Each structure stands twice: as C-alpha cells, then as structure tokens.
Amino acid sequence: MPGCPVRQGRGARLGDGGLSSIDPTPASDDSRPPHLVLETLVREQRARLVGALARWCGDIQLAEDGFADAVERALATWANGVPRAPESWISTVARNRTRDIVRSAERTRTRPLDTTDPHPSVDLHPDRDDDTLVLMLACVHPSLDRAVHAPLILQVVIGAQTKDIATAFALPQATLAKRLVRAKQKLRANHVFLEMPDGIPHERVDAVLDAIYAAYSIEWLRVAPPAAIDLVTEHAIHASQLLLTAVPNNPEVRGLAALLLYLHSRRNARIKDGVLIPTEQQNPADWDHHLIQVAEDLLRVGLRAQRTTLPGSYELQAAIQSAHASRSRQDGDTPWETIAPFYDALVLITPSKGAAVARAAAIAHATDSPTGLRILAELHENDPTLDAFQPYHATRAALLFDIGAVADAAHSLARAIALCTHAPSRRYLESIQPRTSFSA
C-alpha cells in the first residue's frame, strides 16, 4: 500500500495471527477497493489501535509490530473482500500476533500478559481516543530525553516514516532509529504503565504541546510530498484537539489548538503556481473561514476566562494569527499596530531567532523601515549566527528596498536566496524587484 507507514519496528512475523478466530466472510458495506479501505484505516486509526494494543501488552514497540503484521496480513487477505468490521479485524489479528510474539520470543515483560483480559479494541470501545492520548503521554515521559519527544510522537502517534523524521531533524536515519528504539526500551525497562493518569502533570502537558507543535512545523514539511504533509498536519491538529479534551482549562493547550487551526485555515492560499504567498498578500477568500471561526472561539474563551497567569507562547502566537485573520474583515489591511506588541511579549517569553526577526518586521510595518533595520542590526550584533538565518536576510532585504538602498538590498536578497531550501519560498524571493516590500 503506497505511502502507508505501518512497519516502524523490527517486523516480527511469528505465529498465524489467530485468523481462525475471525469471521472469514467478507461482507463489508464499503464499496471502495480493499487497498483504499486499508489505507484509510491506517491513516485515521493507527494511533488509536496501536495505543489500545500498547495498553493491553504494556510495550509500545511490541504493539507497533503487532499492528504492522496485521496490516501486512490484511494486504494479502482483503484482496478477496473487506471484512464486515475492518477495524475489529485489524485489532484482533494484531492482538493475536502480539500474543504469538510474546510466547515465541519469551520476551521479558514489565507485567504479565493476561490473555483472558478483554482487548480494548474498537469492538468494545468505539470512541477510545484516550488510547491515542496515552501514547502521546508515554512519548514525553520524564525518563526520556526531551530531544526525542517530538521524533517519538511523529513515529508512534502520527505514523511518519523514520527516514522522513531523520530528514526533519537533520540526523542520519540509522542514528535516529537507534534513539527511537532506545526510548521505547527505556519506557519498558522503567515499567512505564500505559494508562491515563487521573491528573496529567503540568510538565507533561507542556512537553506534549511542544512535541505537537514541532510535529506540525518541522522543516521537512516544506519539502515533503503532499500526502506526507496532510498526514502529519492533520494528525498534529487531531492530537491538539485530544489534549484539549483532556485538559480543557489549560490556556496554552487552548492556544495551541487555536494556533494550528489558524495556520491550517490558510493551507490553500499559501502557495500559488509553485510560489509562496506571504500571509499579508494572500487572498482571504482562499482561507477556510470555518476553521478560523473555530480558532477564534477557542482563543476568545481562553483570553476571557478568569486567570492569574499572563498569556503563554502558544496563546500569543494564536493571537498574532487571529490579527492576520482579521484582515478579511478590515478592508484587506493587516493590523500591524496590533501584531507588533504581541511579538514584543513573545520574544520575552520564548526568545528565538524567528520571533525576534518577525518582531523587527512587524515593528517596521507598524512604524517605518529604518526602525526595523535598527532592530535587525542590534539583533545581529548580539547574535552573529543570524548570518546563516534565511529570514533575517529576507527581512533585511525588504526593508533596505523600502528605503532605496538597492545595492545592499540586492546583496541581502541574494544571501536569502542562497540559504533558502524551500522551493516555493525561493521562487518568491527570486520574483522580488527593487522597492517592492515583502515579508519573510
């Protein structure tokens, strides 16, 4: 099944998968070809089914292997017809495969595998979204290095391929694969119990937030094929919604859920004819206004609630995106005077190169280009590594063009183009002419 990321583990193929316990009569009402039914199931239900299996067997890697084996068996078996309940079929085969692996390999287990326990499958619990949330929480367990949280969520929860994750984090595939295997082994060795805690610790919530955002915004999405982009972005949004249901009163959880919806609402306007269109130049008619309204409602509830804390990073970023979205109601003008103070607050809470450069651009829009250039000069003086940061050069070139410093602007623009690895962004930069304002 092309593009269907199912086998991430060691690929055990033990036992017969317990097929005798499944009704062999294919009687599904789904008229689609079997491979499309299976591809959709893997895409939409993988995390929940792996989570349910992991809760039963206590081992994430083992659950992934069992699920992968069940999917591979389905590829061959469903050619003759899709079973009545495809999810139940996969769930049952995966459970029996896992039991066979345990018995054959005599694995050391964190707890006894009680084969009489009911499997938390789609048959018994059709809405077990908490199975996915359990996986997310396991991926950010305190015993794991924080650097592995996002890659682990990408692989285990979202189902991205190891080679793509390695590209995203600029790591050799073999190196990342070893880190992910070690992380799963550590969870098993530390007897991490894969169940939903009564109360999710604040630090675990923060770690999940950071990992979900990293999954949505990782660099490889800028060069990945459309199917991979859809897989990761949709699952990241779904993960943020699941977390919101678990901790609905956490302002930052609400902020992230809103932020991802704002960003996703502009997916059809972001690139035209292979060229990046900056947010302030996009046609609001191309935006998904339903998603924007949902995001607005989420953000408004959080900001209006009685609270003792100031807005956090994700709330501020969502507020910036809300201001951009308001352009559809304000005669096409971006409210830079509103956006700039949000960036002032953001760089104080979570300082980063990207936020600092974006702040300079916003202030320049709200005031004048010389002010923005002075801020950029101060940033570069304090952090010479900006020489290798493409948005810095793109923003500087725009502001230099605005004041008529064409030669210096052309030099900065050439540097920005040389550093740009995103083809649509590069095409946009190459289209810039002197004295034309543009945004990084």
Side-chain angles (χ1 to χ4, degrees):
M1 183 171 50
C4 194
V6 294
R7 182 169 294 283
Q8 299 283 359
R10 56 188 172 77
R13 300 190 181 193
L14 302 173
D16 63 1
L19 292 176
S20 60
S21 64
I22 300 175
D23 183 353
T25 305
S28 173
D29 294 331
D30 198 324
S31 59
R32 292 174 298 167
H35 74 279
L36 291 181
V37 176
L38 184 58
E39 188 170 324
T40 300
L41 187 152
V42 172
R43 180 186 179 91
E44 296 179 354
Q45 302 296 336
R46 179 188 181 280
R48 186 160 63 88
L49 292 174
V50 170
L53 194 61
R55 295 175 80 169
W56 172 71
C57 71
D59 187 330
I60 292 176
Q61 183 67 73
L62 186 57
E64 288 183 305
D65 289 340
F67 178 80
D69 283 332
V71 171
E72 289 188 359
R73 190 58 174 256
L75 280 170
T77 306
W78 291 8
N80 298 321
V82 179
R84 288 193 187 91
E87 294 175 32
S88 297
W89 193 100
I90 291 290
S91 181
T92 302
V93 172
R95 180 180 189 265
N96 292 337
R97 286 290 219 196
T98 300
R99 182 182 56 207
D100 290 340
I101 293 170
V102 171
R103 289 174 174 172
S104 299
E106 297 182 351
R107 293 173 61 106
T108 301
R109 304 201 45 74
T110 60
R111 62 185 174 89
L113 180 64
D114 187 350
T115 57
T116 65
D117 280 348
H119 180 215
S121 68
V122 293
D123 298 306
L124 302 178
H125 305 281
D127 299 311
R128 283 295 291 265
D129 276 338
D130 59 336
D131 290 324
T132 304
L133 190 54
V134 164
L135 274 187
M136 290 164 53
L137 292 173
C139 289
V140 299
H141 193 270
S143 66
L144 301 179
D145 187 333
R146 194 175 185 89
V148 83
H149 290 172
L152 200 57
I153 278 185
L154 275 167
Q155 186 194 66
V156 174
V157 179
I158 293 177
Q161 297 282 16
T162 304
K163 61 182 178 62
D164 292 328
I165 305 172
T167 299
F169 291 90
L171 291 170
Q173 182 176 342
T175 299
L176 178 66
K178 290 178 182 177
R179 290 182 184 178
L180 294 172
V181 169
R182 284 198 298 267
K184 295 170 190 176
Q185 291 173 340
K186 181 177 285 189
L187 290 176
R188 187 172 67 244
N190 289 349
H191 306 283
V192 172
F193 196 56
L194 293 168
E195 285 296 339
M196 181 70 71
D198 292 333
I200 304 176
H202 180 73
E203 61 274 11
R204 297 279 290 280
V205 173
D206 289 345
V208 172
L209 287 172
D210 292 344
I212 292 173
Y213 184 65
Y216 186 94
S217 59
I218 53 176
E219 182 68 18
W220 77 276
L221 290 178
R222 297 165 68 86
V223 295
I229 294 174
D230 290 343
L231 174 74
V232 173
T233 56
E234 290 173 9
H235 279 277
I237 290 171
H238 180 60
S240 72
Q241 298 292 320
L242 286 182
L243 191 60
L244 180 61
T245 63
V247 280
N249 297 320
N250 185 304
E252 278 290 80
V253 172
R254 192 172 291 275
L256 178 68
L259 172 62
L260 298 190
L261 290 177
Y262 281 125
L263 296 174
H264 203 55
S265 72
R266 298 196 294 268
R267 66 193 181 281
N268 294 328
R270 197 166 288 130
I271 296 174
K272 294 292 184 182
D273 299 322
V275 180
L276 176 75
I277 308 297
T279 301
E280 64 271 19
Q281 296 179 25
Q282 293 170 10
N283 184 352
D286 293 332
W287 296 345
D288 186 327
H289 293 278
H290 171 69
L291 288 185
I292 290 174
Q293 187 57 56
V294 174
E296 293 278 289
D297 293 342
L298 284 173
L299 184 62
R300 191 177 298 115
V301 169
L303 293 177
R304 287 181 176 176
Q306 291 186 344
R307 52 194 294 177
T308 58
T309 59
L310 295 173
S313 170
Y314 294 117
E315 281 187 289
L316 288 171
Q317 292 181 71
I320 291 169
Q321 298 306 320
S322 175
H324 278 293
S326 72
R327 184 161 63 85
S328 62
R329 305 186 301 271
Q330 297 179 1
D331 300 323
D333 294 329
T334 300
W336 293 108
E337 295 80 4
T338 300
I339 293 173
F342 286 138
Y343 274 117
D344 288 340
L346 184 61
V347 296
L348 291 176
I349 295 175
T350 52
S352 68
K353 290 185 178 71
V357 170
R359 172 179 174 268
I363 292 174
H365 280 292
T367 58
D368 54 58
S369 294
T371 300
L373 285 168
R374 284 195 296 272
I375 294 173
L376 287 178
E378 292 171 1
L379 290 174
H380 186 269
E381 183 178 354
N382 294 326
D383 184 6
T385 63
L386 285 171
D387 275 334
F389 191 53
Q390 181 266 336
Y392 164 78
H393 292 284
T395 302
R396 184 170 183 270
L399 300 183
L400 287 169
F401 276 138
D402 281 344
I403 66 172
V406 176
D408 289 340
H411 176 76
S412 289
L413 182 58
R415 179 65 173 151
I417 293 172
L419 290 170
C420 189
T421 59
H422 182 226
S425 296
R426 187 187 308 111
R427 295 186 192 105
Y428 170 69
L429 293 173
E430 291 170 345
S431 72
I432 296 301
Q433 298 297 319
R435 298 186 180 278
T436 300
S437 297
F438 66 98
S439 169

